């Protein structure tokens, strides 16, 4: 038995089959007929999980809901082929909601799409320069602060939608709360919070899927003007009789935006946040893989870059590797990257074949899913943990959170890095003095 390509191979058994360090057959070298059944199951499960998340993230980003589904489809059909990861699943991510919402508000969606394309170009350059390992040098306090700030922004923007209102001006529009949307939002929130305390937690599917299906049923039973959900309270993705007709209705980039300096700044911000998020999620996904396979970070950056370029051209949101979908992929028994491709195929089928069913999902349900996601990112437990880690961690963490919420992601990260550097340098000087 000899080592080839990072795997142990044995000439006496089969020259075309690879083995890992423990002697287990590497799934990627198995015949397709052996891996496809598990990959097919995993792909379908991940698609069911991804569908409401793609819609919810697009809603929270202030983008057309179809753009979230486009990004999910690109994550499956494009990134999976370029990436070196067997388990990672890419798509629109909660980590990008704050920056995307801010840029769309400033630029408009069509003018924002060139920034997504440019961000992809930047990521390809970073991957080519082998910058994938640089995230290890980012202070943990700043990364935690970035994620916590994103969580707070998500909560602030989605709580009004829970009650049938627009994301901004919650307290100015309390009289316009919709009874039906509010009921669905609160029921969704209660189910999502309570799911983990019931026997339902044993079901190998996340509660978001059941909440989306259940609230469609609830909304169909409502009657009376105060309770019936109007069109502006429901998902709205384009429908067409033919595939070419659907493509014609998709958003397209305003290419004149390439000459706008704000587009380039937006692209830089997306590139930084998306790359950090991807590399962190990739590492976490590799830790979950019971086959102990490792994903090449620089190749992943290039794959994400290609995906973001395609997504931007097609009218989709920016993408990252997503830990929720990746963990479901692993727990569902995926063998190879084909499971991610299959998830992309099923998302595409849902958009083409079942748009009417998707358009019955209440926006308040999606807002509840995102509110819970935001709380997990900015949980009180995280703040307490950072406090217990000492001032060297807590101060940069709080400064990063505050700066991002008060300004924007790029400025907040820069301020956080400066404060973290000062705190670390001061701590090192103190240690030398005491020594």
């Amino acid at each position: 038995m000899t080592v080839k390509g990072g795997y142990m191979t044995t000439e006496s058994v089969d020259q075309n089959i690879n083995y890992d360090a423990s002697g287990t057959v590497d799934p990627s070298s198995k015949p397709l007929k052996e891996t496809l059944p598990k990959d097919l199951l995993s792909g379908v499960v991940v698609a069911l999980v991804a569908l409401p998340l793609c819609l919810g993230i697009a809603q929270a980003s202030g983008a057309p809901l179809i753009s979230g589904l486009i990004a999910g489809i690109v994550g499956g059909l494009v990134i999976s082929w370029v990436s070196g990861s067997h388990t990672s699943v890419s798509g629109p991510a909660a980590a990008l909601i704050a920056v995307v919402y801010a840029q769309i508000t400033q630029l408009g969606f069509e003018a924002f799409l060139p920034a997504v394309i440019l961000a992809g170009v930047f990521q390809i350059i970073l991957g080519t320069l082998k910058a994938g390992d640089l995230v290890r040098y980012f202070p943990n306090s700043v990364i935690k602060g970035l994620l916590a700030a994103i969580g707070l922004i998500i909560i602030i923007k989605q709580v009004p939608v829970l009650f049938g209102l627009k994301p901004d001006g919650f307290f100015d529009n309390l009289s316009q709360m919709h009874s039906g949307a509010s009921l669905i939002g609160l029921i969704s929130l209660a189910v999502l919070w309570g799911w983990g305390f019931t026997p339902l937690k044993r079901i190998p599917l996340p509660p978001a899927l059941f909440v989306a299906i259940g609230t469609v049923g609830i909304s169909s039973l409502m009657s009376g003007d105060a309770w019936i959900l109007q069109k502006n309270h429901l998902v709205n993705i384009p429908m067409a009789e033919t595939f070419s007709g659907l493509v014609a209705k998709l958003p397209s980039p305003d290419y004149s935006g390439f000459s706008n300096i704000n587009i380039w700044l937006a692209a830089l911000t997306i590139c930084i946040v998306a790359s950090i998020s991807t590399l962190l999620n990739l590492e976490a996904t590799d830790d979950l893989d019971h086959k102990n396979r490792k994903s090449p970070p620089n190749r992943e950056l290039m794959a994400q870059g290609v995906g973001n370029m395609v997504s931007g051209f097609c009218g989709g949101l920016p993408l990252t590797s997503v830990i929720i979908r990746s963990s479901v992929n692993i727990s569902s028994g995926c063998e190879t990257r084909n499971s991610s491709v299959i998830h992309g195929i099923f998302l595409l089928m849902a958009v083409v074949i079942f748009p009417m069913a998707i358009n019955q999902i209440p926006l308040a349900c999606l807002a509840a899913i995102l509110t819970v996601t935001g709380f997990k990112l900015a949980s009180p437990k995280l703040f307490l943990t950072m406090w217990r880690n000492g001032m060297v961690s807590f101060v940069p963490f709080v400064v990063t959170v505050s700066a991002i919420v008060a300004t924007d992601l790029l400025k907040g990260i820069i301020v956080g890095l400066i404060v973290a550097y000062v705190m670390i340098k001061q701590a090192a000087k103190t240690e030398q003095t005491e020594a």
Side-chain angles (χ1 to χ4, degrees), residues 17 29 32 203 242 246 255 263 294 304 310 349 364 376 378-379 389 396:
I17 295 181
S29 67
L32 182 63
I203 300 176
T242 63
L246 176 63
Y255 295 107
I263 297 294
K294 298 301 178 184
Q304 295 294 327
V310 174
M349 290 173 60
K376 290 178 179 178
S379 67
N389 287 343

Side-chain angles (χ1 to χ4, degrees), residues 76-255:
L77 299 185
V78 177
I79 292 181
S80 301
W81 289 113
V82 185
S83 169
S85 174
H86 294 286
T87 54
S88 175
V89 181
S90 298
L96 290 174
I97 287 176
V99 62
V100 172
Y101 181 85
Q103 299 303 331
I104 291 177
T105 301
Q106 178 186 3
L107 303 168
F109 186 69
E110 286 74 17
F112 164 76
L113 291 175
V116 180
I117 298 171
L118 281 174
V121 174
F122 292 161
Q123 285 185 301
I124 292 174
I125 293 172
L126 287 178
T128 304
L129 297 175
K130 302 190 182 302
D133 295 325
L134 290 180
V135 71
R136 298 177 183 177
Y137 299 98
F138 266 68
N140 183 61
S141 56
V142 175
I143 292 174
K144 297 288 187 183
L146 166 65
L147 297 176
I150 290 169
L152 289 175
I153 293 171
I154 291 173
I155 293 171
I156 293 168
K157 297 296 183 184
Q158 291 306 297
V159 166
V161 184
L162 279 171
F163 300 97
L165 302 173
K166 294 182 178 180
D168 296 315
F170 177 58
F171 293 105
D172 296 333
N173 300 308
L174 287 177
S175 61
Q176 299 177 19
M177 284 195 303
H178 190 277
S179 300
S182 300
L183 178 62
I184 284 178
L186 293 174
I187 289 176
S188 301
L189 209 55
V191 171
L192 292 167
W193 280 122
W195 187 274
F197 301 99
T198 69
L200 293 173
K201 66 181 180 181
R202 298 191 184 96
I203 300 176
L205 287 173
L209 175 63
F210 294 94
V211 166
I213 296 173
T215 53
V216 170
I218 294 173
S219 67
S220 67
L221 298 175
M222 291 180 173
S223 61
D225 292 340
W227 296 93
I228 295 178
L229 299 183
Q230 304 302 317
K231 196 171 183 179
N232 62 316
H233 296 129
L234 299 172
V235 167
N236 182 22
I237 63 172
M239 295 190 293
E241 295 182 359
T242 63
F243 183 75
S244 59
L246 176 63
V247 172
K249 292 185 177 182
L250 299 180
S252 58
D254 177 5
Y255 295 107

